[in-house]
Amino acid sequence: MSEIPPLPSADLRAVAWLLGAFTLLMVGYFTLPLEWFGDRRPLLSWTVFVAALGGLSWLMLAKIVGVLKGTAKQPVAWLAFLIFLAMIIFSATYYALGAHKAEFAGLETRLDALYFTVVTMATVGYGDITPAGQTARLVVVLQIGYNFVFLAAAAGTASRTIRGNMERRIRRRG
């Protein structure tokens, strides 16, 4: 049986960075005052949502293009971080929408919003949380479209990068 070589220190740093970034995203999500958003401040809410998605989309495309050109540094860690960031942006939006009870049935807490986002990302179906209002349904449709276009491209790029790195390591060892 062949021995698995240890990860290079650059890969270990990328994993540590990703874990730290994910932890900070989760701490921010569960502690930031999301009550500022919602139906009491619709202009602010929609402006922040559109700006966050626009910025995120630009970052994802820039990282994907960097991978295609061969200039991206730590693309897998960055793409994973950007996918987590998309999850947080949509979760925060669902939480803000959930404060208006007519928009969601069953969405009460930030954990409910995170659960709903992950279920929507995986498109495994719904159950106890459902979008009831038109605005909530619009955001769900936007998220599903975003998943198909941006998140699928990011995940595919990360997967191809990992496969390419593994093939290069195997060739060097062989």
Side-chain angles (χ1 to χ4, degrees), residues 91-144:
S91 292
T93 303
Y94 292 138
Y95 180 73
L97 285 171
H100 188 256
K101 301 303 175 205
E103 291 297 330
F104 275 98
L107 196 151
E108 303 289 330
T109 67
R110 291 177 195 229
L111 187 57
D112 290 340
L114 188 58
Y115 160 78
F116 182 78
T117 303
V118 171
V119 168
T120 303
M121 285 177 106
T123 60
V124 294
Y126 302 104
D128 52 341
I129 300 173
T130 55
Q134 295 302 303
T135 304
R137 289 178 177 162
L138 172 66
V139 175
V140 169
V141 168
L142 286 172
Q143 183 189 348
I144 292 170

Side-chain angles (χ1 to χ4, degrees), residues 3-28:
E3 185 179 311
I4 298 173
L7 286 174
S9 63
D11 289 348
L12 291 174
R13 281 192 304 271
V15 168
W17 177 86
L18 185 59
L19 287 173
F22 180 72
T23 300
L24 287 175
L25 279 175
M26 288 290 106
V27 167

Side-chain angles (χ1 to χ4, degrees), residues 23 61 132 146:
T23 300
L61 288 173
Y146 199 85

